[in-house]
């Protein structure tokens, strides 16, 4: 296998040092919120966002005023996007069925999909107002049947962003907060006098929010461990440099630590794309961010064969994978590690981020090796149950269970089984704390 890097990103040691500093900062904020509750939340909101309202929770009147500030076109666009996302979430929910089956005569096993009771949805909005994240989290939780949905976003330019508030409201949020950062995530997870705790945290965020979710995992559930947005463009010589560059920079603008990688078997395309990236950076309005991301985390990788492209793509296990090849469905059939695939030139990551219907909260940092992204199933607990409906079945299973328990030296477990053998199997003299051996014919 011959793989050539025409451009490399930042080394792992530099990234590790930055991660260490973020961890320490987040740990201190969470500890303060746990100890001092609302007082600490308000203090950090003032410090980081310059935001100190009388109440972080929006009233119904405030929500209505925010919705009224949107134009008819803006409202229609948000509702169109939510329709697509809701429809796909409902289709996914319909694919998850409860099960009840008799596996042996008198033995009934089943499972139910039970919604999480309370969810906190974080919607980024300090740098860019991430309206779409409200659809992806709040609306999907609603389709899943979550009973209480708290949605929060930081203030944008000194006030709650009206389109984010509207999107949260249209999606079905039960409580809407204008609060951002680690303090918001900690308040929802831990609970304060003014914010009742939730059972699960979802939604993207900056490195501090992502680290807060990581540290709070276990106390609450989370959707996934998130890092900076990642995009991988897989292209052959049927693609063009303009599209490759746009699809790289369209994600690099998320933040200065967002990796964007071109993976191709055409060195000519690779070099043309690198030149085109520089041209576009000279005119891109978000170039101050995208340029740093491309310089420090952008990569261009050239392989010799399609099999090498596949192997490298699965090794990278990126969040977003745009496939610009003659046969993009070949990668759909063969790739196994990715957050979401965008197949062919007619679609792109932005469609998935904003409107097409799939969820945009996806695994990063190679987590796609073992998990998919946020979807309706993440809000559901698949819980099993069992029922034994005959004496004969209870006695038969009891005898097997008794012997298996004693193989593991679990005498108490074994006695649970033995009691059923005595009562339902007609063996009242079965010795205590002994395996239930078969009776002779």
């Amino acid at each position: 296998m011959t793989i050539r890097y025409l451009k490399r990103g930042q080394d792992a040691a530099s990234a590790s040092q930055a991660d260490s500093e973020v961890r320490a900062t987040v740990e201190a904020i969470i500890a303060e919120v746990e100890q001092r509750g609302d007082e600490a939340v308000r203090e950090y909101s003032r410090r980081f966002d310059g935001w100190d309202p009388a109440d972080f929770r929006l009233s119904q009147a405030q929500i209505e005023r925010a919705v009224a500030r949107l134009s008819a076109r803006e409202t229609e666009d948000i509702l169109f996007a939510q329709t697509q996302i809701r429809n796909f979430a409902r289709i996914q929910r319909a694919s998850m069925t409860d099960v009840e089956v008799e596996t042996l005569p008198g033995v009934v096993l089943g499972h139910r999909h039970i919604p999480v009771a309370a969810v906190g949805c974080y919607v980024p909005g300090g740098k860019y107002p991430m309206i779409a994240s409200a659809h992806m989290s709040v609306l999907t939780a609603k389709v899943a049947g979550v009973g209480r949905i708290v949605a929060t976003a930081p203030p944008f330019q000194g006030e709650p962003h009206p389109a984010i508030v509207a999107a949260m409201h249209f999606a079905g949020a039960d409580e809407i907060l204008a609060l951002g950062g680690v303090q918001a995530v900690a308040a929802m997870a831990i609970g304060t006098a003014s914010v009742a705790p939730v059972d699960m945290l979802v939604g993207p965020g900056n490195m501090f929010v992502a680290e807060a979710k990581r540290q709070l995992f276990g106390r609450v559930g989370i959707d996934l461990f998130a890092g900076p947005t990642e995009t991988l463009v897989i292209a052959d010589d049927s693609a063009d440099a303009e599209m490759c560059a746009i699809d790289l920079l369209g994600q690099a603008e998320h933040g200065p630590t967002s990796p964007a990688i071109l993976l191709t078997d055409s060195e000519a395309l690779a070099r043309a794309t690198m030149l085109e990236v520089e041209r576009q950076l000279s005119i891109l309005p978000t170039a101050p961010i995208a340029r740093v991301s491309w310089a420090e985390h952008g990569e261009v990788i050239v392989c010799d064969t399609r099999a090498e492209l596949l192997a490298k793509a699965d090794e990278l296990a990126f969040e977003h994978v745009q496939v610009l090849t003659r046969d993009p469905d070949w990668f759909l059939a063969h790739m196994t590690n990715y957050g979401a695939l965008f197949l062919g030139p007619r679609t792109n990551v932005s469609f998935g981020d904003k409107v097409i219907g799939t969820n945009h909260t996806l695994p990063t940092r190679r987590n796609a090796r073992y998990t998919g992204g946020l979807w309706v199933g993440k809000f559901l607990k698949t819980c099993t149950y069992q029922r034994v409906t005959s004496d004969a079945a209870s006695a038969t299973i009891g005898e097997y269970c008794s012997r298996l328990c004693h193989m593991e030296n679990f005498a108490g477990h074994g006695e649970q089984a033995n009691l059923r053998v005595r009562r339902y199997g007609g063996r009242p003299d079965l010795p205590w704390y002994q395996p239930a051996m078969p009776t002779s014919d």
Side-chain angles (χ1 to χ4, degrees):
M1 179 180 290
T2 303
I3 295 179
R4 304 178 299 285
Y5 286 80
L6 302 189
K7 183 182 183 309
R8 298 295 300 250
Q10 185 184 78
D11 65 278
S14 298
S16 178
Q17 175 63 27
D19 287 348
S20 177
E21 293 169 0
V22 170
R23 279 195 296 272
T25 299
V26 169
E27 186 175 7
I29 296 172
I30 290 175
E32 287 290 307
V33 172
E34 187 163 22
Q35 292 167 14
R36 298 193 291 120
D38 284 331
E39 179 186 1
V41 170
R42 188 167 293 278
E43 178 182 306
Y44 283 114
S45 180
R46 284 195 301 263
R47 182 190 305 180
F48 295 133
D49 292 326
W51 178 243
D52 188 16
D55 192 345
F56 291 113
R57 180 180 285 103
L58 300 190
S59 66
Q60 185 61 35
Q62 288 174 303
I63 293 168
E64 291 172 0
R65 285 197 296 270
V67 171
R69 290 176 60 183
L70 271 60
S71 68
R73 174 80 273 166
E74 289 169 330
T75 298
E76 184 179 340
D77 289 346
I78 289 172
L79 293 175
F80 176 85
Q82 291 197 349
T83 298
Q84 314 319 307
I85 293 153
R86 183 182 295 105
N87 284 347
F88 191 59
R90 285 175 172 168
I91 291 166
Q92 290 182 305
R93 179 64 184 90
S95 75
M96 302 178 67
T97 58
D98 291 351
V99 168
E100 184 172 288
V101 61
E102 189 173 39
T103 58
L104 290 170
V107 176
V108 177
L109 307 181
H111 74 223
R112 296 176 58 216
H113 299 297
I114 303 172
V116 173
V119 169
C121 301
Y122 188 86
V123 177
K127 180 169 56 181
Y128 298 116
M130 296 280 285
I131 301 162
S133 288
H135 323 325
M136 305 296 175
S137 57
V138 177
L139 194 153
T140 309
K142 200 72 174 180
V143 171
V146 173
R148 171 175 168 252
I149 302 172
V150 183
T152 190
F156 183 80
Q157 298 178 353
E159 63 177 349
H161 193 284
I164 290 179
V165 173
M168 290 171 168
H169 176 63
F170 296 154
D174 299 294
E175 302 168 33
I176 297 177
L177 310 179
L179 181 65
V182 177
Q183 60 272 20
V185 173
M188 291 190 293
I190 297 167
T192 70
S194 65
V195 181
V198 299
D199 302 308
M200 183 179 184
L201 295 170
V202 302
N206 63 20
M207 66 182 75
F208 295 95
V209 168
E211 175 60 19
K213 288 169 63 182
R214 190 193 69 80
Q215 291 189 21
L216 290 162
F217 177 60
R219 182 179 310 210
V220 293
I222 64 171
D223 44 3
L224 42 77
F225 294 112
T229 291
E230 306 164 342
T231 195
L232 172 67
V233 175
I234 303 175
D236 61 19
D237 61 6
S238 68
D240 64 85
E242 180 185 42
M243 183 172 286
C244 289
I246 284 174
D247 287 346
L248 291 166
L249 293 177
Q251 295 302 302
E253 74 176 0
H254 264 283
T257 58
S258 296
I261 296 180
L262 173 64
L263 180 62
T264 180
D265 58 3
S266 169
E267 186 164 336
L269 176 65
R271 295 193 180 280
T273 299
M274 291 169 70
L275 292 174
E276 179 64 15
V277 165
E278 295 305 319
R279 186 193 73 80
Q280 291 186 25
L281 282 172
S282 70
I283 57 174
L284 180 67
T286 54
I289 295 170
R291 184 182 298 280
V292 175
S293 176
W294 177 249
E296 296 186 1
H297 301 279
E299 295 192 348
V300 177
I301 306 172
V302 180
C303 299
D304 287 335
T305 67
R306 186 168 68 171
E308 290 176 355
L309 293 175
L310 174 65
K312 189 62 179 178
D314 272 336
E315 176 190 331
L316 290 167
F318 257 35
E319 176 187 17
H320 305 109
V321 180
Q322 172 82 41
V323 184
L324 300 174
T325 64
R326 288 182 178 81
D327 184 10
D329 283 347
W330 185 87
F331 287 90
L332 174 63
H334 292 88
M335 274 194 74
T336 57
N337 298 338
Y338 56 88
L341 283 179
F342 304 84
L343 300 167
R346 292 182 180 85
T347 190
N348 62 85
V349 177
S350 185
F351 284 8
D353 277 350
K354 309 302 177 188
V355 67
I356 206 166
T358 53
N359 206 289
H360 78 190
T361 304
L362 300 166
T364 61
R365 294 188 170 181
R366 303 190 68 228
N367 291 350
R369 292 170 298 142
Y370 61 81
T371 187
L374 182 62
W375 70 298
V376 69
K378 289 276 189 178
F379 297 103
L380 299 169
K381 304 174 293 181
T382 302
C383 301
T384 61
Y385 62 90
Q386 58 178 267
R387 184 186 303 114
V388 177
T389 61
S390 71
D391 290 353
S394 182
T396 298
I397 295 296
E399 289 182 358
Y400 279 102
C401 183
S402 172
R403 296 192 295 270
L404 290 166
C405 290
H406 283 277
M407 287 171 65
E408 297 178 351
N409 297 323
F410 274 121
H413 283 63
E415 203 52 37
Q416 289 180 268
N418 285 351
L419 179 64
R420 273 66 185 182
V421 176
R422 292 188 195 100
R423 292 193 179 183
Y424 304 115
R427 299 177 64 181
D429 297 328
L430 180 68
W432 280 59
Y433 306 122
Q434 297 296 319
M437 302 307 292
T439 57
S440 57
D441 294 334

